[in-house]
Amino acid sequence: DTFIQKVNRMESLDDLTRKVSLDTELFGGYYLEIIWSLTGQLAEIWHLDYTKIRTNKDNTQYWYKEDWKDRNEQYTIYPAFNPKNPQGKQIYYIKEYRPNTGAYSLPGYFGALNYIESDIEVSKHVLGNAKTGFSASKLITLPNGEPTPEEQRVVHNKFKNTYTGADGIKYMLAFVNDASRKPIVDDLGQSDLTKEDFGRVDSLIQVNIFSGHQITTPSIFGIAEAGKLGSRTEMRDGFEIFKSTYVNAKQMELESTFNMLAGFAGYPEDLKIIPCEPIGMEL
């Protein structure tokens, strides 16, 4: 109970486990700062922000900085965790196995990164349309010469006040020096994703992001699926499958790590993560 309630002077083991679990999901690994007592026992365990650590090729030394973009800030050097030399502060780096990863870990969703980036770009597209409403579908060519920038702004404002509505500006103006021609309006076609295109792209992105994260039942994450009711039985079965194929292995790794550290702190190595229920108790 002492080790669980106060793994360091500020946090419980539950607090620490939440942080390292998040780092594992985001980066495929996590860093722990191990502080030894003067008597050679493990005194405290702290979580270290994954983004603030750098390491050498064989993970035997680590460098810590608050901001790696700041060239004036001095880094702090830490040795790797070594229970045979229990003194001072050391860093314990735990990373999930990935073939040919080198010094740093890779997240499990690495294969879905292109679709994650695509989702970001689509969201920027939607946000841009929502802010500006700009999706030019007409090119209007005015042949009465090339006016000054001030005159162009006057003409543009007249068009804007007359031919734009809630959807924003839907045209582009071009000025050419050819008095023999009449004003020309060219159709640029549909420049944005149509509703049908967006639906297909969004569905493709979702499926591949779910696959990349090994999610078999999106409803257990609060994501509704078309054509499915999301019954309690379906959610419970989906949760059990996800737990068996994904969660259990990660929990076993966490239990192994903290049981090993508890042994160096002088406590029995019988820590277990209590599983949570996706749905409350049923009569």
Side-chain angles (χ1 to χ4, degrees), residues 114-158:
N114 286 339
Y115 289 98
I116 295 171
E117 188 172 355
S118 298
D119 192 38
I120 294 170
E121 294 303 320
V122 169
S123 70
K124 289 179 180 178
H125 172 80
V126 174
L127 178 62
N129 280 345
K131 282 186 172 181
T132 66
F134 179 78
S135 53
S137 57
K138 304 293 181 185
L139 173 62
I140 303 172
T141 304
L142 302 176
N144 297 328
E146 297 184 15
T148 65
E150 181 61 31
E151 291 172 333
Q152 289 185 23
R153 279 194 293 270
V154 172
V155 174
H156 174 73
N157 287 334
K158 287 184 177 180

Side-chain angles (χ1 to χ4, degrees), residues 64-122:
Y64 176 89
K65 276 178 67 171
E66 281 292 326
D67 183 5
W68 282 93
K69 295 179 181 179
D70 184 1
R71 295 182 179 273
N72 295 322
E73 181 186 349
Q74 295 297 314
Y75 53 76
T76 305
I77 302 176
Y78 290 93
F81 174 70
N82 183 9
K84 294 181 179 179
N85 183 29
Q87 58 181 351
K89 297 179 179 180
Q90 299 174 348
I91 287 184
Y92 187 25
Y93 181 28
I94 302 94
K95 57 182 178 180
E96 295 180 328
Y97 171 73
R98 302 274 187 274
N100 196 30
T101 55
Y104 296 102
S105 59
L106 287 175
Y109 57 85
F110 183 78
L113 285 180
N114 286 339
Y115 289 98
I116 295 171
E117 188 172 355
S118 298
D119 192 38
I120 294 170
E121 294 303 320
V122 169

